[in-house]
Amino acid sequence: MYNVKSRVATEFIDDAEILETLEYAEKNKRNKALINSLLEKASKCKGLNHREAAVLLDCDLPEENEKMYKLAMEIKQKIYGNRIVLFAPLYLSNYCVNGCVYCPYHHNNHHIRRKKLTQEEIVREVTALQDMGHKRLALETGEDPVNNPIEYVLESIKTIYSIKHKNGAIRRVNVNIAATTVENYRKLKEAGIGTYVLFQETYNKANYEKLHPVGPKHDYAYHTEAMDRAMEGGIDDVGLGVLFGLNMYRYDFVGLLMHAEHLEATFGVGPHTISVPRICPADDIDPKSFKNAISDDIFAKIVAVIRIAVPYTGMIISTRESPKSRERALSLGVSQISGASSTSVGGYAEKESPEENTAQFERSDTRTLDEVINWLLKLGYIPSFCTACYREGRTGDRFMSLAKTGKIQYCCHPNALMTLKEYLEDYATPETKALGDEVIKRELMTIPNEKIREIARRHIEDIAVSGKRDFRF
Ligand code: SF4
Ligand code: SF4
């Protein structure tokens, strides 16, 4: 029985409720009056529930779909402006005891090289990342209580925060590790993590169990209830996501929104971020064997409707997507992207030969960070390395109230300009620097509050002239 506030996975992600929602959406996908009233409601940036969003996702009226894309762009602009936050994944270890059939780290893959970084190797990786200009990382490990215990993750976080190379610093470490206990989540919180990210992969229980035939991840309830335990452990910024293509996308889309509604109803804080990965090729994995793979158009529609339905959440795409697909997703709602990622263990400090490949997936976007920054600037975006919120204690409901009212942009905008200036001074090529300096000059003028504008202008000057770093609002 569906109960949004239940703490039982199969009740807040109730299969019957999803199936009824899909039926309702199918029936109403050409209901012009309803669709237009939903678009009108969504234009107030208050979001939509899963039933309403499912109707928009299914809608096949060309004119209404155009309005939908336009609205997604407007909401994105209203809440996030033209800023795009950059991050990089850091793979610590690919040892894994699970059997996820879509991931090359599954324990039965005997031809992938297994590797776990030592603390010295982490120093080398993080130094390489700092030398590129990154300030925000997403830690990734396989699940393996012997090789990757929580103590290893905690020690690695401490190491990462301690490294200061030239003007470099990692200022926010987000963590993507397997579902764990309240006690371990509390330890992660104490270690100073930013967001805890865990992809559900698919919300369809029967399919989930088939895709995860062995290992602790097989337990659907333990995995689906992980965010509740994370919240209990004091982590109030959590990131959701499904791997589109594993199951019927409409089912997972509805499950994803129901999960967001559950967190909001139970803890008063919805997901800090939603990621939208799609299945892609990797060692031992052929995406063609997943018959639910989604097209570029459906992918774009999913991005647009999530943006409309959950306007306050950050949306993330990785280098799984090609530059072309990323460009489209950016305009429709994505606010964070990874850049110049290595999806291998130890891949930043040393290039791997194909035989030594430890990558989790193949990247479609292989550009350098400078090329990505240059591209964003040319598209009219402000690349941002901002990590200010959790360092200023703006997490959980404090963050949400600012995000929901749109007031967060009074911090995001100047922070984006100041962190971009740091990047331009320390890491950019001359062409990117010239381009970025122009954008900063232009964008400074658009800060509405005179006092904030003046402080930001002074800090930007300080970054260039006196070499000071890490200013933030
Ligand atoms: Fe292990 Fe995660 Fe890959 Fe599953 S998806 S095999 S848990 S690394
Ligand atoms: Fe993100 Fe906060 Fe920085 Fe805005 S001010 S970009 S929400 S960390």
Side-chain angles (χ1 to χ4, degrees):
M1 177 82 171
Y2 178 47
N3 177 358
V4 69
K5 282 194 177 177
S6 167
R7 303 295 293 272
V8 177
T10 47
E11 290 179 359
F12 66 81
I13 306 291
D14 176 51
D15 180 61
E17 172 61 21
I18 299 183
L19 296 177
E20 274 174 38
T21 300
L22 295 179
E23 212 179 300
Y24 173 77
E26 172 66 27
K27 258 192 219 142
N28 285 292
K29 67 182 185 187
R30 290 187 196 125
N31 182 340
K32 233 182 201 185
L34 174 68
I35 291 164
N36 279 302
S37 74
L38 293 177
L39 292 175
E40 172 61 27
K41 181 179 172 193
S43 68
K44 308 208 166 48
C45 289
K46 299 272 184 250
L48 293 176
N49 65 35
H50 60 274
R51 285 209 172 199
E52 296 167 331
V55 173
L56 295 191
L57 188 70
D58 271 12
C59 165
D60 59 3
L61 303 169
E63 208 178 301
E64 273 59 36
N65 277 339
E66 273 319 304
K67 284 189 207 165
M68 218 177 289
Y69 287 126
K70 201 165 153 267
L71 178 61
M73 287 180 195
E74 282 166 15
I75 293 176
K76 159 100 196 286
Q77 188 60 30
K78 219 184 261 176
I79 297 192
Y80 286 91
N82 50 355
R83 299 170 297 280
I84 303 295
V85 170
L86 276 303
F87 75 99
L90 174 58
Y91 284 77
L92 294 182
S93 164
N94 64 359
Y95 284 93
C96 192
V97 296
N98 286 312
C100 316
V101 302
Y102 49 84
C103 173
Y105 293 173
H106 68 80
H107 80 131
N108 260 338
N109 185 358
H110 297 300
H111 46 87
I112 196 166
R113 191 169 60 104
R114 299 289 166 174
K115 192 171 172 186
K116 169 188 170 179
L117 297 180
T118 63
Q119 298 306 307
E120 291 70 35
E121 284 168 329
I122 291 175
V123 172
R124 284 206 290 277
E125 284 290 275
V126 171
T127 306
L129 282 156
Q130 288 185 3
D131 282 346
M132 287 155 72
H134 277 296
K135 302 283 188 267
R136 177 188 286 246
L137 298 187
L139 283 199
E140 316 272 346
T141 64
E143 179 168 13
D144 186 328
V146 174
N147 286 296
N148 317 328
I150 191 73
E151 291 72 26
Y152 169 68
V153 177
L154 296 171
E155 189 188 1
S156 304
I157 294 169
K158 208 166 161 192
T159 301
I160 293 166
Y161 278 134
S162 73
I163 302 161
K164 302 276 178 287
H165 182 247
K166 297 184 181 161
N167 281 334
I170 298 302
R171 298 172 182 159
R172 179 177 177 123
V173 178
N174 297 332
V175 172
N176 181 354
I177 62 164
T180 185
T181 59
V182 174
E183 196 193 331
N184 284 347
Y185 286 125
R186 198 162 286 128
K187 289 178 184 165
L188 287 170
K189 174 73 184 173
E190 281 159 13
I193 69 161
T195 311
Y196 171 65
V197 180
L198 182 69
F199 296 164
Q200 177 65 29
E201 322 296 8
T202 174
Y203 284 95
N204 184 301
K205 185 168 180 287
N207 206 9
Y208 178 95
E209 286 165 353
K210 261 189 243 146
L211 292 160
H212 307 96
V214 291
K217 198 169 170 180
H218 178 73
D219 186 338
Y220 176 83
Y222 191 72
H223 190 82
T224 313
E225 292 158 13
M227 293 312 190
D228 291 51
R229 293 193 300 280
M231 291 266 184
E232 264 180 63
I235 297 175
D236 45 11
D237 285 349
V238 299
L240 303 181
V242 291
L243 184 50
F244 282 105
L246 289 182
N247 187 51
M248 195 174 70
Y249 74 90
R250 296 164 71 235
Y251 190 105
D252 280 334
F253 173 86
V254 175
L256 184 63
L257 293 189
M258 283 166 72
H259 201 171
E261 287 164 17
H262 163 70
L263 294 175
E264 174 112 40
T266 314
F267 302 98
V269 185
H272 192 72
T273 54
I274 292 180
S275 300
V276 284
R278 269 196 284 187
I279 193 128
C280 73
D283 178 76
D284 208 31
I285 308 295
D286 178 2
K288 286 194 205 80
S289 54
F290 293 91
K291 57 183 188 315
N292 293 306
I294 57 171
S295 69
D296 287 352
D297 284 345
I298 290 173
F299 182 68
K301 184 113 187 249
I302 289 171
V303 170
V305 185
I306 292 177
R307 174 45 67 232
I308 290 172
V310 202
Y312 59 81
T313 199
M315 270 177 85
I316 303 179
I317 49 168
S318 73
T319 50
R320 282 174 191 263
E321 296 297 326
S322 67
K324 196 165 149 240
S325 158
R326 272 152 67 100
E327 183 173 336
R328 191 166 179 203
L330 284 175
S331 74
L332 293 174
V334 164
S335 55
Q336 265 191 53
I337 61 170
S338 49
S341 304
S342 164
T343 54
S344 305
V345 182
Y348 292 108
E350 277 168 40
K351 289 264 166 300
E352 288 181 324
S353 67
E355 308 76 61
E356 290 179 317
N357 188 16
T358 60
Q360 193 189 28
F361 59 85
E362 282 178 21
R363 297 165 303 151
S364 297
D365 186 343
T366 53
R367 294 171 296 177
T368 64
L369 188 58
D370 193 77
E371 284 165 346
V372 173
I373 300 292
N374 192 296
W375 168 74
L376 287 172
L377 289 166
K378 283 182 180 154
L379 289 175
Y381 294 110
I382 311 172
S384 172
F385 292 88
C386 178
T387 55
C389 274
Y390 100 100
R391 299 167 78 218
E392 292 293 321
R394 286 192 299 262
T395 61
D397 49 2
R398 269 200 73 197
F399 169 81
M400 281 300 162
S401 66
L402 292 169
K404 284 181 182 168
T405 53
K407 286 190 184 140
I408 193 70
Q409 61 175 304
Y410 301 127
C411 299
C412 300
H413 190 204
N415 285 340
L417 299 181
M418 294 188 299
T419 55
L420 173 61
K421 184 61 181 167
E422 290 185 338
Y423 175 83
L424 298 178
E425 289 299 315
D426 293 337
Y427 310 105
T429 57
E431 191 208 318
T432 303
K433 183 169 185 315
L435 210 57
D437 279 333
E438 273 307 305
V439 169
I440 291 175
K441 206 160 110 195
R442 191 182 71 220
E443 287 287 337
L444 258 178
M445 302 310 293
T446 68
I447 296 177
N449 181 304
E450 203 180 314
K451 206 166 143 206
I452 295 180
R453 194 187 322 134
E454 182 48 27
I455 297 173
R457 193 197 57 73
R458 257 190 285 126
H459 288 338
I460 285 169
E461 202 174 286
D462 270 349
I463 291 167
V465 178
S466 65
K468 286 193 196 146
R469 297 288 176 269
D470 202 12
F471 296 106
R472 59 182 182 264
F473 287 96

